[in-house]
Amino acid sequence: MSTTKFNIADYLDDNEMIVEYLNNILEEGDSSDIISAIGHVAKAIGMTKIAEDTGMSRPSLYKALSENSKPQFETILKVLRAIGGNIQINPAA
């Protein structure tokens, strides 16, 4: 029996799943987890489409959203908008 490497992007196939995944990471993860999760969503949607929507190159996106990267906040905002998301602040519980 052979195994394959788990890839979360394979399971992010609709908006509801993407929103649930990102909200979960935002609640429980740290900044590197959030950047990585945004990268997973971008890959699920398609880096070419995200590159076109953000005006960034695919290599720049891969670099900005790779593990241990520290992208500028502007880059995160561009990618979030391209994947159909936004940031909303709610009162802390």
Side-chain angles (χ1 to χ4, degrees), residues 16-61:
E16 186 176 317
M17 184 64 75
I18 289 169
V19 168
E20 187 173 329
Y21 173 64
L22 288 176
N23 282 331
N24 189 318
I25 297 296
L26 284 167
E27 284 182 33
E28 299 178 10
D30 61 18
S31 61
S32 64
D33 293 334
I34 294 165
I35 293 164
S36 181
I38 293 170
H40 294 148
V41 172
K43 288 175 187 167
I45 292 171
M47 282 296 206
T48 299
K49 179 182 180 334
I50 302 302
E52 290 170 359
D53 291 349
T54 61
M56 298 174 66
S57 69
R58 286 180 67 229
S60 294
L61 281 172

Side-chain angles (χ1 to χ4, degrees), residues 1 3 13 20 23-24 29 40-42 51 53 55 58 63-66 76-78 84-85 87-88 93:
M1 174 159 84
T3 60
D13 53 4
E20 187 173 329
N23 282 331
N24 189 318
H40 294 148
V41 172
D53 291 349
R58 286 180 67 229
K63 183 177 178 182
L65 301 174
S66 66
I76 295 300
L77 288 177
K78 283 181 182 180
I87 295 176
Q88 182 177 14

